[in-house]
Amino acid sequence: MRNRAYSVCAAAAALVGLSPHTGVKATENLFTDVTASAGIHWKHTSGESKDCFLIEAMGGGVALADFDQDGWLDIFLVTGGETPHAKSSTPPRNALYRNLGNGKFEDVAAKAGVERLPFYGMGVAAADYDNDGFPDLYITGYPSSALYHNNGDGTFTNVTEKAGVSNAGKWGASAVWFDYDGDGRLDLFVANYAKFSLDGPQHCSYEGQPTYCAQTAYEGDAPRLYHNNGDGTFTDATTQAGLSKLIGRALGVIAIDVDGDGWPDLFVARDASPNLLLINKHNGTFEDAALSAEVALNMDGNARAGMGVDAGDVTGNGWPSFVITNFNDEHHALFVHPGHFPFEERTVQSGLASLTRSFVGWGAHFLDYDNDGNLDLVIVNGHINQVIEHTRRDVSYREPPLLLHNDGRGNFQNMAPLAGPVFQEKFRARGLAVGDLDNDGRTDIVFTRLNDSPVLLRNTVAEAGAWIGFQLEGTRSNRDAIGAKVAVSTGEQKLVRWITAGGSYLSSHDKRLIFGLGQNAPEQVRAEIHWPSGQVQTVSGLAIRRYHKIVEPR
Amino acid sequence: MRLAALFVLTLALTASGARLLAQGASPAQQHADQALQFAQQGDLKSAESELRKAVELSPGDSNFLTSLGGILGMEGDLRQANTYLAKAVKLNPQDPASRRNLAANQWQLGQLKEAHQNLDLLLRANPRDKIATFLLGMVSEKEKAYARSAKLLESVPDVLAQQPDGWAALANSYYHTGRTENARAALQRLLSPPANPRTVFLGGSIAMDALDYSNAETLFRSVRSSYPDRAALESEIALAEYRSGHVAESERTLLEAVKANHATSSGYVLLCRMLSAEGSDLRALRIAAQAAQAFPDSSDVLSTKGSVELKLRYFKDAVASYQKAAVLKDSAGVKRGLATAQWNAGLREQATSTFEQAMRQFPRDAQTCQVYGTLLLEDGSPENKARAVNLLKHALDLDQSATEPRYQLANLELTDGNPQQALAYLESAIKLDPNDSRLHFALSRVYRRLGRDSDAGKETEIYQKLKAAEQPGARNDAAGGTHP
């Protein structure tokens, strides 16, 4: 555990003062870049070349999970790969950084057997698909994807062929583990991006300079749904589930119960294709309700360039709202769930429109960074057109990440002046995952950079609110409890959070839940857990400022 | 001079009349004879001088007055010519030549009522007076009495053969009476045998006005090597090409004109707009900058440059361009562009001031209110929203045919949970523009909130059909190149 007693420089405190909008006393940066001190030096390989294959500009993902179950969250990073005219001197490799618990990390990817990929890597979804207590890895890419089973001894085995989840011939982007049929086993949904080939580059130029073609030059593809048979194999259920006709350029996906019926639904962010809101019909099929729920398009009826997506209760009404990252000028969108369909787009009213107009967004996640009880938002950005600055003075190729504070009503304020130097710098950021890497009850952030090392941001909010954390373990439900809904009552407030899977872009988050309880929290709280199996469990007298492991009653 | 031949004819008649009297050989007649010789040699100044002497010696001789009027007309001094012709008519009301020439000049001076009266008198006296018939046809065309003009002009084909401007006027009358094929045939007469390049250019312009762009293009192209004002011609060719859908050709024509230094300011403006519309904004900006150098005093050029800069989001440059344009020629469009550029450049106070000024200066300009109102909605603040609503409503009051304020107001009502009010705006907007996919999309949202799911579904279908028609196929645009 890190030392939380910070020595405050009086002059700095006086200068920064009290942030009037957040109530957070910002004596130091809200987040501190600890990448180098943590020993993280791995770099992503995109295979960037003169051919400008679009895939070079799109990766890669990051997963936070405790792979060795030692109580500390580890970090898995997906590399891209080589392209025909961009060969690496050393083979591109993934990284699995084992958290040593002292602020340091050790790359054990080679030892674990997850270092090399037989394809161009994109994203990662980590979850315990066989309920053996150890998180496994599904790594997406082109022209196939792979499932690595966690052996529980620090190694993984590639079980793709046996499992039948290779997603062959597809360009897989984000993937999500979720139990869509309620059988207690995690199934797998893969968002496929576009028809693509490394044999024939598409040539595009912008004002005479070669650059990546727009997404519309690539035909979209259908997603894939694999049903978990429970014996280590999966069945392709795409057609049976009614998903095979949903052609489009899918990138981001999150699984969450949107309509409150206790069954997990899917929100799929798509690039210049209408977003999908796949409502679980309880019979193994899904129905796309995005158009009638008014989350498919913008208010003018245009599909935006959806990349990342996340869901969370940003207004405190107990329903999940969605954020979708888009292209510059399109604004990253906020769809607020009013408790019924259709959703209300509050992109402008929330402040997101003006805050994100210049950015091309990728990973995004709702997190309560200051534990005040409201879900804030972190978004990473970065353009794909290397020469965009030749024509646009308000848009840059490298772009800063955004840390946005929520006032509790879904209105966001940019915290860049207080958030730390990283939020003033510009990157080609892509994947983003959040989790409590130092188990201090404050959410940390990892994001990836194209062709570069990731950035590890330690949450250093000086006077964060009280908190309570949960690690749920399903018994009748899937062991990760993906799909569980937890409501914490503090007397005045009822906070609702979900254990989602997916969310952000190409990435996978800490599956523990942290509830920020603010400055005036009672010493004990009550939690109501809606397990994916349908069981509702109430637990009272839970002490704050610690994690609670709760096992689903059998 | 369009009607030079008429005057030569008149002078010849006058002179031959005078020759009959030459046996007496008065000094005045001698000057008139001398004038005839000068006129035949093309020395109009000397002819005028000789005739002035004749008139001075014999002021009551209507022939000398008619001849002097004719020569002055040939020299282009129609007003002075008419002074002498009017005197001649007064002295000899029965002389058709002087009245005919007087009417011709009056027509050219735009004195249509007077010309019409004189021509009526001539035709009453002699219904077979072909010149008078021709002239009345030309006058009628100017009076927009197109049916009568066509009837008169088509009755004198032999005069039209001598006066090709008549074919152009006849074509114009045909276009206006819906006889497009006849109009095209009339304009065809300008090409074979080839008429004066200026007349052909006139014919092209008439075809352009009638939206008959391909015919206009043919006429303009036929005088490419002979029309003296090359810049104007190339500009018209490009415009005709553009409007007939030959955008690439139009662009090429203008680029060549720019290269050869033959571009007009309107040509530059058209080229910039075309390049910008196709997404070649940097090229558009380069051309606009070139145009601004060539035509530093053209407000249109500078405001076009501003609009390209605005699109490129070079907001500060756009502010500078619009400011210069506003100094040269203030208009609602220029003010609106300036205010929009200021707004986006972060100069909110200046932008607000410019918008307010524009609304005071051009109180009937609906677009300014609409643009201002829409911009105010950007930040989502309640104060700005209230003002925006007022502006959008005012824009609608000013222009009941506008759909944009209706669309914006409908979206606001929808956001505020007032679907019934949104419905009213959208229903009226769709009546005005049934093919705007956004309106149907918004209407489907309204119906959904009103519980009219079946209607919502229908509107969604219409939206999808319209949207599908708008969507281009797979395009090899660069990433970021086509986004707004």
Side-chain angles (χ1 to χ4, degrees):
Chain A
M1 196 79 71
R2 290 179 189 282
N3 180 0
R4 292 177 59 205
Y6 298 103
S7 60
V8 178
C9 165
L15 273 175
V16 178
L18 194 70
S19 172
H21 300 292
T22 66
V24 173
K25 198 172 183 180
T27 51
E28 287 190 348
N29 297 322
L30 303 178
F31 285 87
T32 304
D33 182 355
V34 294
T35 316
S37 63
I40 292 174
H41 305 292
W42 170 89
K43 283 192 175 178
H44 173 261
T45 301
S46 77
E48 201 168 31
S49 73
K50 62 181 169 57
D51 291 326
C52 290
F53 289 106
L54 187 55
I55 202 166
E56 300 165 11
M58 305 287 281
V62 51
L64 301 185
D66 182 5
F67 294 105
D68 54 3
Q69 292 294 290
D70 65 352
W72 298 94
L73 214 52
D74 309 304
I75 305 171
F76 180 76
L77 295 150
V78 186
T79 195
E82 295 176 329
T83 55
H85 294 103
K87 303 290 181 192
S88 303
S89 53
T90 55
R93 45 180 298 276
N94 304 314
L96 175 57
Y97 279 107
R98 181 170 169 258
N99 189 337
L100 303 178
N102 59 357
K104 303 283 184 191
F105 289 78
E106 176 192 11
D107 188 355
V108 296
K111 190 175 137 194
V114 291
E115 188 184 34
R116 301 274 160 77
L117 294 175
F119 51 83
Y120 189 104
M122 285 291 292
V124 56
D128 181 10
Y129 77 87
D130 57 351
N131 294 331
D132 66 355
F134 289 90
D136 310 294
L137 287 171
Y138 186 74
I139 305 174
T140 62
Y142 168 82
S144 60
S145 300
L147 176 61
Y148 289 86
H149 176 255
N150 188 336
N151 302 320
D153 59 359
T155 67
F156 288 76
T157 303
N158 185 339
V159 296
T160 313
E161 290 312 313
K162 183 193 163 200
V165 291
S166 69
N167 197 31
K170 305 287 183 185
W171 174 356
S174 298
V176 63
W177 292 101
F178 74 127
D179 179 11
Y180 75 90
D181 57 351
D183 63 1
R185 295 186 289 264
L186 290 174
D187 310 296
L188 178 64
F189 177 93
V190 187
N192 288 318
Y193 184 54
K195 305 253 169 72
F196 176 77
S197 169
L198 279 171
D199 295 331
Q202 304 233 34
H203 296 289
C204 288
S205 63
Y206 190 54
E207 300 293 348
Q209 304 265 10
T211 187
Y212 298 100
C213 292
Q215 71 285 78
T216 45
Y218 300 86
E219 191 187 338
D221 210 338
R224 196 162 255 169
L225 177 68
Y226 292 109
H227 175 255
N228 187 340
N229 301 323
D231 59 359
T233 68
F234 290 74
T235 301
D236 185 344
T238 312
T239 303
Q240 194 186 336
L243 305 178
S244 55
K245 289 181 182 166
L246 300 175
I247 309 289
R249 290 169 286 266
L251 283 176
V253 58
I254 186 167
I256 191 166
D257 177 14
V258 181
D259 54 2
D261 63 359
W263 291 72
D265 310 299
L266 291 169
F267 191 110
V268 185
R270 302 201 301 178
D271 188 4
S273 306
N275 298 320
L276 302 174
L277 180 58
L278 301 174
I279 299 298
N280 191 326
K281 303 306 289 180
H282 317 170
N283 59 2
T285 68
F286 292 84
E287 184 178 279
D288 179 21
L291 207 52
S292 58
E294 298 184 4
V295 293
L297 306 162
N298 71 4
M299 284 175 83
D300 290 338
N302 296 319
R304 287 179 275 210
M307 260 77 89
V309 57
D310 196 38
D313 177 13
V314 294
T315 59
N317 70 353
W319 291 93
S321 298
F322 290 93
V323 64
I324 296 103
T325 52
N326 295 310
F327 217 80
N328 58 274
D329 303 322
E330 294 180 336
H331 317 302
H332 303 347
L334 180 69
F335 292 107
V336 170
H337 198 317
H340 53 79
F341 286 0
F343 280 70
E344 289 170 3
E345 174 159 7
R346 300 192 66 79
T347 304
V348 172
Q349 298 87 333
S350 66
L352 268 192
S354 53
L355 290 166
T356 64
R357 187 161 93 171
S358 302
F359 301 135
V360 175
W362 303 89
H365 202 74
F366 290 118
L367 78 172
D368 182 1
Y369 74 85
D370 54 357
N371 286 338
D372 66 352
N374 302 320
L375 282 180
D376 310 303
L377 179 57
V378 60
I379 300 173
V380 293
N381 305 294
H383 215 281
I384 64 168
N385 183 336
Q386 313 94 314
V387 291
I388 191 67
E389 288 160 49
H390 291 204
T391 57
R392 294 288 298 265
R393 294 178 190 177
D394 60 329
V395 179
S396 55
Y397 178 47
R398 288 175 168 77
E399 297 172 339
L402 291 167
L403 181 69
L404 307 176
H405 185 264
N406 181 1
D407 68 356
R409 299 189 303 276
N411 303 313
F412 292 93
Q413 181 194 358
N414 192 355
M415 299 305 291
L418 304 173
V422 163
F423 292 90
Q424 317 254 9
E425 289 175 42
K426 293 178 175 180
F427 308 102
R428 297 184 293 177
R430 295 294 185 266
L432 165 85
V434 306
D436 185 2
L437 285 156
D438 51 5
N439 292 332
D440 66 352
R442 292 175 297 180
T443 309
D444 308 300
I445 298 169
V446 182
F447 67 86
T448 68
R449 295 186 293 170
L450 196 67
N451 255 350
D452 211 333
S453 57
V455 175
L456 171 53
L457 295 173
R458 186 179 147 227
N459 186 326
T460 47
V461 173
E463 290 194 8
W467 61 278
I468 185 167
F470 295 94
Q471 182 180 3
L472 301 188
E473 184 178 307
T475 54
R476 287 156 65 181
S477 308
N478 68 85
R479 188 165 174 146
D480 282 347
I482 289 170
K485 173 174 143 182
V486 180
V488 164
S489 301
T490 63
E492 297 171 356
Q493 242 186 323
K494 185 178 176 184
L495 302 171
V496 177
R497 306 285 183 259
W498 292 261
I499 299 185
T500 60
S504 188
Y505 173 72
L506 305 179
S507 301
S508 198
H509 312 278
D510 187 356
K511 289 185 178 58
R512 292 174 296 177
L513 290 176
I514 298 177
F515 287 75
L517 302 173
Q519 303 293 341
N520 304 311
E523 281 308 306
Q524 292 186 334
V525 298
R526 175 174 167 270
E528 187 179 276
I529 302 161
H530 296 250
W531 293 91
S533 64
Q535 283 198 85
V536 180
Q537 181 184 3
T538 304
V539 190
S540 301
L542 295 166
I544 64 167
R545 291 196 173 84
R546 55 161 292 193
Y547 282 102
H548 297 268
K549 181 170 178 176
I550 298 177
V551 180
E552 181 184 18
R554 288 183 185 275
Chain B
M1 262 333 284
R2 281 175 167 188
L3 298 179
L6 281 176
F7 295 117
V8 172
L9 180 70
T10 305
L11 191 67
L13 286 170
T14 308
S16 72
R19 212 173 287 126
L20 292 173
L21 303 170
Q23 284 122 8
S26 71
Q29 186 60 53
Q30 284 170 15
H31 286 296
D33 288 344
Q34 195 64 36
L36 176 60
Q37 282 173 25
F38 283 129
Q40 282 166 344
Q41 291 159 14
D43 183 354
L44 299 180
K45 268 282 158 217
S46 301
E48 178 194 333
S49 172
E50 288 301 321
L51 282 167
R52 282 189 187 280
K53 288 173 189 163
V55 167
E56 202 177 327
L57 289 169
S58 188
D61 188 322
S62 67
N63 283 334
F64 297 153
L65 289 165
T66 301
S67 296
L68 179 56
I71 287 293
L72 286 165
M74 289 169 79
E75 289 180 303
D77 190 349
L78 299 180
R79 287 189 190 281
Q80 213 188 144
N82 277 10
T83 310
Y84 292 103
L85 290 169
K87 280 183 189 168
V89 167
K90 201 172 178 184
L91 284 168
N92 185 4
Q94 305 310 316
D95 174 25
S98 51
R99 194 178 291 277
R100 215 184 276 126
N101 283 352
L102 177 63
N105 284 2
Q106 286 168 330
W107 161 63
Q108 290 180 93
L109 286 166
Q111 297 164 356
L112 301 182
K113 195 176 163 192
E114 293 81 352
H116 201 133
Q117 282 170 351
N118 279 317
L119 292 165
D120 273 345
L121 285 173
L122 284 167
L123 287 170
R124 218 172 289 146
N126 176 13
R128 286 187 290 183
D129 184 336
K130 289 184 177 179
I131 300 295
T133 303
F134 165 77
L135 285 170
L136 189 56
M138 300 298 270
V139 168
S140 299
E141 187 241 356
K142 279 267 169 64
E143 289 175 331
K144 298 185 178 173
Y146 297 114
R148 184 175 61 201
S149 164
K151 194 176 172 189
L152 289 165
L153 290 173
E154 67 190 5
S155 73
V156 287
D158 46 340
V159 180
L160 295 187
Q162 299 298 314
Q163 295 293 333
D165 278 22
W167 289 117
L170 179 56
N172 195 31
S173 296
Y174 280 146
Y175 277 128
H176 279 93
T177 49
R179 296 156 74 183
T180 304
E181 286 312 315
N182 292 37
R184 287 178 179 157
L187 289 175
Q188 197 61 34
R189 301 293 291 266
L190 299 178
L191 297 173
S192 179
N196 180 306
R198 286 188 186 278
T199 305
V200 176
F201 187 86
L202 173 70
S205 303
I206 284 167
M208 284 289 279
D209 291 345
L211 315 183
D212 187 359
Y213 301 121
S214 58
N215 217 31
E217 199 183 321
T218 307
L219 287 158
F220 288 136
R221 281 184 182 284
S222 75
V223 291
R224 218 168 192 171
S225 58
S226 52
Y227 190 70
D229 188 347
R230 186 75 191 272
L233 180 71
E234 293 300 323
S235 181
E236 289 299 313
I237 289 174
L239 191 60
E241 287 170 331
Y242 178 71
R243 291 195 176 154
S244 54
H246 304 139
V247 178
E249 289 87 340
S250 174
E251 194 178 310
R252 205 160 37 239
T253 299
L254 287 168
L255 283 169
E256 279 166 16
V258 166
K259 206 170 157 189
N261 234 0
H262 278 150
T264 58
S265 60
S266 60
Y268 270 116
V269 166
L270 175 63
L271 179 58
C272 289
R273 286 182 183 161
M274 282 192 291
L275 291 170
S276 181
E278 71 192 35
S280 299
D281 295 314
L282 272 192
R283 284 176 70 204
L285 184 58
R286 280 196 288 272
I287 296 292
Q290 208 173 322
Q293 275 199 328
F295 298 96
D297 296 330
S298 165
S299 176
D300 283 352
V301 162
L302 289 163
S303 62
T304 300
K305 182 166 175 270
S307 70
V308 176
E309 288 160 341
L310 200 53
K311 195 174 167 212
L312 280 165
R313 308 179 78 83
Y314 293 4
F315 297 125
K316 287 183 182 171
D317 294 350
V319 169
S321 295
Y322 277 120
Q323 273 172 337
K324 284 182 200 161
V327 170
L328 291 164
K329 187 181 85 182
D330 212 358
S331 70
V334 170
K335 269 269 166 32
R336 199 187 312 128
L338 174 60
T340 307
Q342 287 169 325
W343 184 278
N344 284 293
L347 308 167
R348 295 290 162 98
E349 278 182 27
Q350 291 179 33
T352 302
S353 160
T354 308
F355 271 126
E356 299 290 349
Q357 200 186 338
M359 288 191 299
R360 279 195 304 274
Q361 214 175 329
F362 307 100
R364 306 298 306 164
D365 186 64
Q367 257 192 299
T368 299
C369 299
Q370 180 244 304
V371 171
Y372 188 20
T374 305
L375 285 172
L376 280 170
L377 291 173
E378 270 184 5
D379 71 356
S381 76
E383 312 77 51
N384 282 348
K385 186 176 155 190
R387 175 82 171 123
V389 168
N390 286 337
L391 286 165
L392 291 166
K393 285 183 176 171
H394 187 52
L396 201 49
D397 289 342
L398 290 172
D399 181 3
Q400 285 295 317
S401 68
T403 55
E404 191 62 29
R406 285 184 166 87
Y407 175 67
Q408 297 291 347
L409 287 164
N411 273 335
L412 284 168
E413 295 288 4
L414 206 51
T415 306
D416 288 350
N418 304 318
Q420 206 65 51
Q421 284 86 333
L423 179 67
Y425 283 123
L426 288 171
E427 282 180 339
S428 58
I430 283 175
K431 273 186 197 151
L432 292 162
D433 187 358
N435 294 321
D436 185 339
S437 65
R438 294 178 315 160
L439 300 176
H440 293 279
F441 183 70
L443 188 56
S444 74
R445 298 176 60 216
V446 169
Y447 282 145
R448 208 168 284 130
R449 280 158 180 77
L450 290 170
R452 294 168 60 178
D453 289 346
S454 164
D455 290 331
K458 282 180 200 159
E459 286 303 318
T460 301
E461 274 179 33
I462 297 171
Y463 150 77
Q464 284 172 326
K465 274 185 196 159
L466 290 170
K467 200 72 196 166
E470 287 168 21
Q471 300 281 8
R475 291 161 51 174
N476 273 38
D477 292 323
T482 55
H483 288 272

